[in-house]
Amino acid sequence: MKYIKTLILVFSIFYCSITFAQHRDVSIKLRHGLPNVLKVTNVRVYSGSATSAKISIWIAVKKGKVVSVSRGRGDWIITIRTRGQVSTYVVSEKSFKIVGEESKAVQIRALHFTEGS
């Protein structure tokens, strides 16, 4: 009986450690130069070294809809339509810094948007 209880305890610890390791949060905090109409909701690091990091960013559009997103030479051009008005924002990748690791160069792998009203 004691052997079975020990075996169950060891199995439970093993199962919990595997479960929590798989659901580990890889999100980070980010400083950014986004316009007020956009809000960062999540950031994930996909690869990194001591000098750079490749990240994906989830952005909520507070009001409006995304018309287009394009990329060119370290800048992202985001066009948003709000109540018939179209606004274009140029956001530099250099304006994104990982909190606590500001010396790292940041390369954005992808931007993901959710749209507001």
Side-chain angles (χ1 to χ4, degrees):
M1 186 67 170
K2 188 175 181 181
Y3 177 74
I4 292 174
K5 287 182 180 179
T6 305
L7 188 60
I8 290 173
L9 178 64
V10 169
F11 177 74
S12 298
I13 291 171
F14 177 73
Y15 176 76
C16 289
S17 66
I18 288 175
T19 302
F20 289 123
Q22 289 176 351
H23 296 291
R24 154 178 96 86
D25 187 14
V26 293
S27 63
I28 58 170
K29 290 186 179 181
L30 192 69
R31 290 186 185 161
H32 55 80
L34 288 175
N36 290 337
V37 72
L38 303 173
K39 177 184 175 189
V40 173
T41 58
N42 193 13
V43 181
R44 296 207 181 228
V45 175
Y46 283 93
S47 64
S49 68
T51 59
S52 67
K54 187 177 274 193
I55 63 175
S56 282
I57 303 172
W58 283 257
I59 296 174
V61 180
K62 293 178 183 175
K63 290 186 179 181
K65 296 188 182 282
V66 176
V67 175
S68 68
V69 178
S70 60
R71 182 182 199 170
R73 291 194 177 173
D75 292 326
W76 288 81
I77 302 166
I78 305 165
T79 304
I80 298 173
R81 180 184 306 275
T82 308
R83 296 184 194 167
Q85 179 183 2
V86 177
S87 302
T88 301
Y89 303 96
V90 178
V91 179
S92 172
E93 283 189 354
K94 291 180 181 178
S95 66
F96 292 91
K97 296 289 179 188
I98 298 171
V99 173
E101 301 180 31
E102 284 84 359
S103 62
K104 278 188 177 183
V106 171
Q107 182 183 5
I108 300 172
R109 177 181 172 196
L111 295 176
H112 308 274
F113 290 92
T114 56
E115 297 175 338
S117 56

